[in-house]
Amino acid sequence: MKKRNLFFKETCLALLMVFALMLSGCSSAPEAEPAPEPETEQANQEVTTPENPDIILATTTSTQDSGLLDVLIPMFEEQTGYRVKTIAVGTGQALAMGEKGEADVLLTHAPASEKPLVESGAVTNYQLVMHNDFILVGPSSDPAKVKDLKSVADAFKAISETSSIFISRGDDSGTDKKEKGIWKDINIPNEGSWYQETGQGMGQTLNIASQKEGYTLTDRATFLAQKDTLQLEIAVQGEKSLLNIYHVMQVNEEKFPKVNAGGAKAFVEFMIDSKTQDIIGEFGMDEYGEPLFFKDAGKTEEEIGK
């Protein structure tokens, strides 16, 4: 009988302990798992650095001197992860670099000289980007009396006939090619002490023309960007023959395997993208009251200036 009572007590005690444990489990809520943090969309997606991030851009001094590349290149680098090494030279030198495979992408403004490279296959993905125009500038005294003349051809004739100082770039640039073409068209030799070549870019040539009170042919963008430091005025402008047309193109990787084709293609696409084109079309408005370039992606050369 005592054994049975002892067993009964032990059993009751065990049941009470189990029951107490059950109550303890029910009274404490299970520890909640931390709620997942809401996913937030990053304002700017991370840009993956390309496997070959360095590209060489051969371009003209006008795109550099005007300040346009100072705006566009950082944007391109930030958006794509590429790093651009810009070589600003005359268009002739830039095209020669492309013809030898010494650059990845070209931005130039001499269509007549560019087309042989396209036809030979040295460059591909040839795209119209923008235009501005060439203008003849000179001192306010206007010694050759060109401001009253109707055409740049007549102005060049007057400069030659009066032996007024004319400052030429003489660097085989797009501007130099245009100027030499005008002398050739009017069949007047550009020689004599009045005709002087700098062998330098547009900015320096404008400075020298200003110092020597001479005339020079310039792209409008570089002149407007520097006019506050120059003693020069616009003498002749507005002829359709003075349009200054820029193209961008890739150097052909099939001819030059070392070319960074991916980077070159990305740069071409960036230059003709609608957002970039809008920036090009507005560049200069705030400072000069007029754009330094006009956007042309998607047009033909025949449609420009209409």
Side-chain angles (χ1 to χ4, degrees), residues 14 19 22 40 43-44 84 100 122 139 161 165 191 222 246 264 268 275-276 282 284 287 290 296:
F19 185 64
M22 290 177 64
T40 56
N44 296 315
V84 180
K100 297 174 184 175
E161 289 169 358
I165 294 175
E191 55 188 32
T222 307
Y246 290 78
V268 171
K275 292 180 180 177
T276 307
E282 295 168 4
E287 189 168 355
E290 61 180 290
D296 289 323

Side-chain angles (χ1 to χ4, degrees), residues 29-89:
E31 188 175 337
E33 294 184 5
E37 294 183 5
E39 294 183 5
T40 56
E41 190 173 346
Q42 293 182 344
N44 296 315
Q45 294 183 348
E46 288 188 14
V47 176
T48 303
T49 302
E51 184 176 343
N52 184 6
D54 297 310
I55 64 173
I56 297 174
L57 166 66
T59 187
T60 70
T61 59
S62 58
T63 57
Q64 186 90 310
D65 292 343
S66 66
L68 180 64
L69 290 184
D70 293 335
V71 174
L72 296 184
I73 295 297
M75 288 178 52
F76 171 73
E77 292 179 334
E78 183 178 354
Q79 291 177 19
T80 64
Y82 285 103
R83 296 188 297 261
V84 180
K85 179 181 180 182
T86 303
I87 301 177
V89 290

Side-chain angles (χ1 to χ4, degrees), residues 249-260:
M249 65 212 83
Q250 294 178 230
V251 178
N252 192 347
E253 63 173 322
E254 293 184 3
K255 286 201 165 192
F256 307 102
K258 292 183 179 180
V259 163
N260 187 343

Side-chain angles (χ1 to χ4, degrees), residues 105 125 127 248-250 264-272:
V105 62
N125 201 7
Q127 300 286 346
V248 66
M249 65 212 83
Q250 294 178 230
K265 183 172 186 289
F267 188 81
V268 171
E269 290 176 350
F270 170 80
M271 290 299 294
I272 63 175

Side-chain angles (χ1 to χ4, degrees), residues 28-275:
S28 59
E31 188 175 337
E33 294 184 5
E37 294 183 5
E39 294 183 5
T40 56
E41 190 173 346
Q42 293 182 344
N44 296 315
Q45 294 183 348
E46 288 188 14
V47 176
T48 303
T49 302
E51 184 176 343
N52 184 6
D54 297 310
I55 64 173
I56 297 174
L57 166 66
T59 187
T60 70
T61 59
S62 58
T63 57
Q64 186 90 310
D65 292 343
S66 66
L68 180 64
L69 290 184
D70 293 335
V71 174
L72 296 184
I73 295 297
M75 288 178 52
F76 171 73
E77 292 179 334
E78 183 178 354
Q79 291 177 19
T80 64
Y82 285 103
R83 296 188 297 261
V84 180
K85 179 181 180 182
T86 303
I87 301 177
V89 290
T91 281
Q93 290 175 266
L95 292 174
M97 289 179 65
E99 197 170 18
K100 297 174 184 175
E102 295 173 349
D104 302 305
V105 62
L106 313 178
L107 176 62
T108 54
H109 62 129
S113 299
E114 295 159 2
K115 284 169 184 174
L117 270 71
V118 177
E119 292 166 359
S120 71
V123 298
T124 61
N125 201 7
Y126 183 63
Q127 300 286 346
L128 181 59
V129 176
M130 60 192 182
H131 80 276
N132 55 17
D133 61 345
F134 294 108
I135 53 179
L136 179 67
V137 299
S140 59
S141 59
D142 193 20
K145 300 296 184 276
V146 301
K147 289 183 181 177
D148 297 328
L149 301 178
K150 294 182 179 179
S151 71
V152 71
D154 289 340
F156 272 41
K157 288 177 185 177
I159 291 168
S160 174
E161 289 169 358
T162 58
S163 295
S164 299
I165 294 175
F166 187 96
I167 306 297
S168 170
R169 286 180 61 166
D171 63 349
D172 198 33
S173 62
T175 306
D176 188 59
K177 289 175 184 292
K178 184 67 179 179
E179 177 233 305
K180 298 294 196 296
I182 295 171
W183 292 117
K184 184 178 179 181
D185 289 343
I186 63 177
N187 198 28
I188 291 180
N190 49 322
E191 55 188 32
S193 60
W194 59 273
Y195 185 85
Q196 303 171 22
E197 294 185 329
T198 68
Q200 301 190 54
M202 196 69 256
Q204 263 310 102
T205 300
L206 280 166
N207 286 329
I208 293 169
S210 180
Q211 292 164 10
K212 295 193 173 187
E213 297 185 343
Y215 295 92
T216 191
L217 189 74
T218 176
D219 66 285
R220 185 182 296 269
T222 307
F223 176 71
L224 289 178
Q226 298 188 200
K227 69 176 183 177
D228 290 344
T229 65
L230 304 171
Q231 299 299 314
L232 298 171
E233 298 178 355
I234 297 176
V236 178
Q237 63 180 326
E239 284 184 66
K240 188 167 183 180
S241 64
L242 293 177
L243 285 176
N244 182 26
I245 300 170
Y246 290 78
H247 288 85
V248 66
M249 65 212 83
Q250 294 178 230
V251 178
N252 192 347
E253 63 173 322
E254 293 184 3
K255 286 201 165 192
F256 307 102
K258 292 183 179 180
V259 163
N260 187 343
K265 183 172 186 289
F267 188 81
V268 171
E269 290 176 350
F270 170 80
M271 290 299 294
I272 63 175
D273 181 79
S274 60
K275 292 180 180 177

